[in-house]
Amino acid sequence: RLRGYRPVIESPLGPGLLTQRGFTSPNHGANQPPEPAKTQLSETAMPQTAARNEFNPFVNAQLQFDDAAKVLKLTENQITLIKEPRRAVECKLPVRMDNGEIRLFTAYRVHHNIMRGPAKGGIRFHPDVSLDEVKALATWMTFKCACVNIPFGGGKGGIVCDPYKLSRNELESLTRRYVSDFFEMFGPDRDVPAPDVGSDPQIMAWFMDTYSMHHRDHMPAVVTGKPLEIGGSQGRGEATALGVVFTTKKAARALGIDLVDARVAIQGFGNAGSHCASLLAKEGARIIAISDISGAYVNRDGINVGAAIDHVKKNRTLADFDRAGYAEKLANPLELLELDVDILIPAALENQITTENAPRVRTRILAEAANGPCTTEASRMLTKQGVFIIPDILCNAGGVTVSYLEWVQNRTGYYWTREAVLKDMQRILDEAFDNVYATSKQHEVSMRVAAFVVAIDRVARVSEIRGLYA
């Protein structure tokens, strides 16, 4: 047991919150109040640190942790146990290309924290993957799983590549090499990956097959987001978007916003963004802007979402969507983030809203369908401007929630209907939103800080209960 490691003290303000944690010595009297808590970053150091490293996602993840750690009054020992990633592995993956050339691909797998369960997190295939990005994503996964109270820790992986420039054979070879070289890290009780940016159910199928062949067993629970034919779950494809819509409806209700005819802008029109557009349109919302790699498209009377989805199916992107007469193309795609809307949904990559453009963001609700779309300083600015942010670790947790349900189905060998899966997911997310919203009101903090307070509290409690093996 760590010297000076104080057990959790229940908050007099409500269950599940740490409010009186501090350094104590073994001889501290039972009735003696603890000394003031210490954190790793001071009030004055944090803004400068954030300004110098605004675009580093791992720095942003740590700053978000520190904001919540202050509210929780964590001790230095508690911070040491749960703040930093526990394992980060880098490999160079040799792959024979179709032309016979052998290329090396840099790849990563990070375990942030596994105190609450096996690591959970996707595998990203993207040219801009970096170790700091993967560490940040693994950190957010730890607290995302804890925020919605599912029994996973946080992990993440990535391969530096452009999957759209690889043939199917090259992509399969790269996937199987990744599984082989990181094999010891994976397992249904160790680390359970899933799709992420640039990966899909087919890649998860190759992953499962490779792991099963190495293990000499049928192991569907080693990965989630698989095709239905090999143990995937009903509802997984639209799960992330449904989670965004569920939490957005809760936020709109809390703020007194009627979704009927509410103006919505969505950055990113991939799986999550397109499903969000379709689902919100069915709720009566007016989708006035969408974007993808080809640019941003606006129609203030409302975009025909069905036509946009059909266009992407036919052309792979929204390119030339404006020429079809459905919308106008913005000169600068980032202008979409500055449109006057009721709901803004960043569903692309991290660091889209920064200190540079945050003052021009005009929305009442910002629903983070992507991971880390706002830098920490930008998020603080938006909160001061009165924007209600649904943080990523809550807003986009529908995907990992259904992944958890898929993992459970794989382990039991019994599979549920789509209706049963989505009903369970909505129950989990509704409870998580209510808990975070109540915490934000109780401590008078933003929804982001509140979500980390709820999540870190759960991770810290489990860490204390399990103790330190030495």
Side-chain angles (χ1 to χ4, degrees):
R1 189 171 181 82
L2 285 176
R3 179 181 176 84
Y5 201 53
R6 184 177 177 82
V8 176
I9 296 178
E10 282 290 332
S11 165
L13 302 176
L17 296 172
L18 304 159
T19 59
Q20 296 292 325
R21 292 184 171 183
F23 264 141
T24 60
S25 71
N27 298 321
H28 240 78
N31 298 319
Q32 194 170 350
E35 297 176 18
K38 302 178 182 178
T39 57
Q40 290 186 335
L41 289 176
S42 67
E43 284 285 348
T44 55
M46 286 178 62
Q48 287 87 342
T49 301
R52 287 196 303 269
N53 301 281
E54 182 178 4
F55 296 104
N56 185 315
F58 184 55
V59 170
N60 280 310
Q62 293 198 307
L63 288 171
Q64 291 165 0
F65 178 97
D66 290 323
D67 284 347
K70 289 182 187 178
V71 177
L72 293 169
K73 297 183 173 62
L74 296 185
T75 67
E76 289 183 352
N77 280 341
Q78 291 166 324
I79 291 171
T80 297
L81 267 185
I82 63 178
K83 181 177 179 179
E84 295 284 341
R86 295 295 299 276
R87 177 185 295 184
V89 179
E90 175 180 337
C91 283
K92 301 292 184 180
L93 309 179
V95 175
R96 189 179 300 279
M97 310 303 284
D98 289 346
N99 63 3
E101 173 192 356
I102 294 178
R103 283 181 57 191
L104 287 179
F105 293 85
T106 302
Y108 307 100
R109 190 68 187 174
V110 173
H111 291 173
H112 175 261
N113 187 285
I114 54 172
M115 297 301 285
R116 299 185 72 252
K120 189 80 187 78
I123 305 170
R124 179 166 292 194
F125 288 58
H126 195 275
D128 296 331
V129 165
S130 68
L131 180 57
D132 271 355
E133 179 188 47
V134 178
K135 286 164 65 177
L137 292 165
T139 302
W140 286 323
M141 282 303 300
T142 293
F143 300 119
K144 183 184 297 185
C145 294
C147 180
V148 297
N149 206 18
I150 58 177
F152 284 129
K156 208 72 177 187
I159 304 175
V160 182
C161 71
D162 186 343
Y164 301 105
K165 293 182 179 179
L166 300 177
S167 70
R168 179 184 173 90
N169 179 65
E170 290 166 343
L171 200 56
E172 179 177 355
S173 296
L174 179 59
T175 301
R176 292 185 184 275
R177 172 58 66 176
Y178 181 86
V179 180
S180 298
D181 280 26
F182 289 91
F183 179 77
E184 292 79 9
M185 297 186 74
F186 299 122
D189 293 305
R190 188 176 299 166
D191 183 349
V192 184
D196 199 87
V197 174
S199 57
D200 59 18
Q202 178 59 68
I203 288 174
M204 297 304 104
W206 291 328
F207 188 109
M208 191 211 87
D209 180 71
T210 307
Y211 186 87
S212 296
M213 294 297 290
H214 275 270
H215 203 272
R216 295 292 188 264
D217 281 308
H218 181 62
M219 304 288 287
V222 71
V223 66
T224 60
K226 304 179 293 297
L228 286 174
E229 293 85 349
I230 59 170
S233 176
Q234 297 280 355
R236 180 62 182 87
E238 65 267 44
T240 299
L242 274 169
V244 174
V245 172
F246 289 156
T247 54
T248 298
K249 288 170 68 175
K250 298 274 286 188
R253 200 172 301 126
L255 299 178
I257 298 174
D258 189 350
L259 280 183
V260 175
D261 212 34
R263 296 159 300 158
V264 180
I266 302 175
Q267 183 201 39
F269 205 68
N271 180 61
S274 60
H275 275 108
C276 281
S278 179
L279 291 165
L280 285 170
K282 289 178 181 177
E283 294 286 339
R286 184 158 36 111
I287 314 302
I288 69 165
I290 56 177
S291 72
D292 68 0
I293 193 171
S294 70
Y297 305 86
V298 177
N299 183 336
R300 286 174 172 78
D301 293 326
I303 286 173
N304 184 326
V305 175
I309 292 173
D310 289 341
H311 186 90
V312 172
K313 286 180 179 177
K314 182 179 179 181
N315 302 287
R316 297 191 67 184
T317 73
L318 286 167
D320 295 329
F321 186 63
D322 52 321
R323 295 185 182 180
Y326 291 108
E328 297 177 2
K329 187 173 184 179
L330 292 174
N332 179 358
L334 290 178
E335 290 178 16
L336 176 146
L337 300 170
E338 302 169 15
L339 296 173
D340 187 4
V341 294
D342 299 298
I343 301 166
L344 174 62
I345 303 177
L349 295 172
E350 59 267 10
N351 296 336
Q352 300 301 298
I353 300 176
T354 68
T355 52
E356 192 280 325
N357 61 359
R360 299 190 297 275
V361 171
R362 295 176 293 167
T363 185
R364 298 179 67 185
I365 295 173
L366 193 151
E368 294 187 332
N371 290 313
C374 296
T375 67
T376 301
E377 281 302 310
S379 180
R380 291 169 181 162
M381 292 170 67
L382 292 172
T383 298
K384 289 180 180 178
Q385 291 166 209
V387 176
F388 186 97
I389 300 175
I390 313 173
D392 48 5
I393 67 170
L394 171 63
C395 188
N396 68 32
V400 73
T401 302
V402 173
S403 278
Y404 160 62
L405 299 174
E406 179 179 333
W407 178 76
V408 171
Q409 292 171 83
N410 292 157
R411 294 175 72 95
T412 62
Y414 183 80
Y415 292 82
W416 308 321
T417 64
R418 178 180 180 274
E419 291 72 23
V421 170
L422 297 183
K423 181 179 180 181
D424 217 16
M425 181 191 77
Q426 182 167 7
R427 173 187 60 79
I428 291 170
L429 292 186
D430 281 351
E431 290 177 2
F433 185 96
D434 291 343
N435 198 6
V436 171
Y437 186 64
T439 301
S440 74
K441 292 296 184 183
Q442 178 183 341
H443 289 278
E444 298 181 342
V445 295
S446 69
M447 286 287 284
R448 187 183 311 284
V449 173
F452 273 87
V453 166
V454 170
I456 293 170
D457 175 41
R458 288 173 174 156
V459 176
R461 286 174 181 273
V462 170
S463 298
E464 290 173 344
I465 291 168
R466 290 184 59 162
L468 183 64
Y469 178 78

